[in-house]
Amino acid sequence: MRSAPGADAMALLFLALTAALLCFWLLSQPWRQARRRAALRAKAFPAAWRAILRRNVPQAARLPADLQLRLKRQMQVFLAEKSFIGCAGQVITDEVRVTIAALAALPLLGRARGYYPKLHTVLVYPGAFIVDRVRHQGPLQMQDRQVLSGESWGEGQVVLSWDDVLRDAATPGRGHNVAVHEFAHQLDQVKGLANGAPWLGSRARQARWAVVMQQSFDLLRARLAAGEPDPLGDYAATEPAEFFAVASERFFGQPWALAQAHPALYGELRRFYEVDPLLWS
């Protein structure tokens, strides 16, 4: 039994309208996201969150007034878009969320780079956590057990030890910050695997970055081999991805030491993050 010509036309019209609405919804996503984020940034920052910042993240108070405001606005978007999950009995409270969000917002202060676009979940342990790794050595398969304070996964998760986050946030001058370290990995992982070379927007900048990073990496290894001190330390010398993440920690926590020991590296990080911690540390 055939349908009437009018029914066929109505069905085709319905399909065309549905396809048009779907295209409009997909194409308007960036606009709707930008509008939603602007509304989040425009909200008043809760007084309870300000108290947590004062108590747990003293570095926030040392920022210039405009960067303090930007930090809070970036935090509001981050907190609205990312999920937090407690592991091994860790309870997720506003203190946990706000403290971690403040540290995640530090690398976002200077540049409109999105809000860690691949990241959707922050997993929080009470303290250091154990990870089992399978290591291949020739035909042999070895089981490695590591105790970690943080980890960044390319699938969209960051894992953090709350004890380490709190300690690092309270003492920024130590230059160690597990949250900044792992969120730097997330910036590196936006383009794929972390390799210490986040996307910079142009081939010329990418080429300059590669030269400076390699020279600084080689200098660090030479100093360590000679028994000389370097603010980046041993872990930064393990591989380029860790070098970038540790350098980011020192950039925000010990900028004076990093600028003195690795001036070219400091310059590249200043251009990448588009802030200069030497001005407010």
Side-chain angles (χ1 to χ4, degrees):
M1 180 177 178
R2 290 185 178 180
S3 58
D8 288 341
M10 289 296 293
L12 288 172
L13 179 61
F14 175 77
L15 288 174
L17 286 172
T18 302
L21 287 172
L22 179 60
C23 287
F24 173 78
W25 183 81
L26 291 172
L27 292 172
S28 67
Q29 273 190 321
W31 174 80
R32 288 184 287 109
Q33 182 187 68
R35 188 177 180 185
R36 183 177 65 251
R37 287 175 171 177
L40 288 167
R41 290 191 293 265
K43 286 185 176 181
F45 197 78
W49 292 6
R50 286 199 296 271
I52 294 169
L53 269 184
R54 286 194 299 270
R55 183 169 65 248
N56 289 356
V57 192
Q59 189 173 20
R62 301 173 193 166
L63 298 173
D66 61 326
L67 290 184
Q68 288 189 39
L69 180 59
R70 181 164 172 78
L71 182 85
K72 292 171 184 175
R73 287 174 173 171
Q74 301 295 70
M75 289 172 60
Q76 285 172 291
V77 176
F78 185 91
L79 288 166
E81 294 188 351
K82 312 305 180 185
S83 299
F84 288 74
I85 297 176
C87 304
Q90 174 65 48
V91 177
I92 299 299
T93 62
D94 271 358
E95 182 172 22
V96 173
R97 295 173 68 249
V98 169
T99 303
I100 291 173
L103 300 175
L106 274 177
L108 305 180
L109 280 177
R111 192 176 174 195
R113 64 175 81 252
Y115 294 84
Y116 306 105
K118 285 192 172 183
L119 176 69
H120 53 75
T121 308
V122 180
L123 306 173
V124 188
Y125 282 82
F129 49 94
I130 296 173
V131 174
D132 289 322
R133 293 271 192 269
V134 175
R135 178 169 54 88
H136 296 278
Q137 188 172 346
L140 300 177
Q141 186 171 287
M142 318 282 287
Q143 190 81 10
D144 278 350
R145 175 160 289 191
Q146 297 176 307
V147 179
L148 303 176
S149 58
E151 195 167 35
S152 175
W153 300 343
E155 296 82 6
Q157 295 89 24
V158 160
V159 191
L160 296 169
S161 155
W162 175 235
D163 282 349
D164 288 274
V165 167
L166 263 182
R167 182 199 63 211
D168 295 345
T171 55
R174 291 174 59 248
H176 296 277
N177 194 310
V178 64
V180 168
H181 183 107
E182 302 307 335
F183 287 114
H185 279 317
Q186 279 291 312
L187 294 176
D188 198 4
Q189 289 167 327
V190 167
K191 66 188 186 329
L193 291 175
N195 62 358
W199 174 241
L200 300 171
S202 74
R203 290 184 178 179
R205 286 194 63 191
Q206 214 76 39
R208 184 179 65 190
W209 175 278
V211 169
V212 171
M213 288 290 163
Q214 188 62 56
Q215 289 175 345
S216 302
F217 187 68
D218 293 342
L219 176 60
L220 169 63
R221 286 188 157 185
R223 284 175 176 165
L224 294 176
E228 299 174 6
D230 190 290
L232 291 171
D234 295 349
Y235 191 57
T238 55
E239 59 172 291
E242 298 303 340
F243 181 81
F244 167 61
V246 173
S248 296
E249 291 183 75
R250 304 298 188 271
F251 178 75
F252 287 103
Q254 288 183 336
W256 58 91
L258 183 63
Q260 184 176 18
H262 296 276
L265 171 61
Y266 185 88
E268 282 302 306
L269 292 173
R270 185 181 60 222
R271 280 184 284 272
F272 175 71
Y273 286 115
E274 294 187 358
V275 291
D276 190 352
L278 283 174
L279 301 177
W280 34 267
S281 295

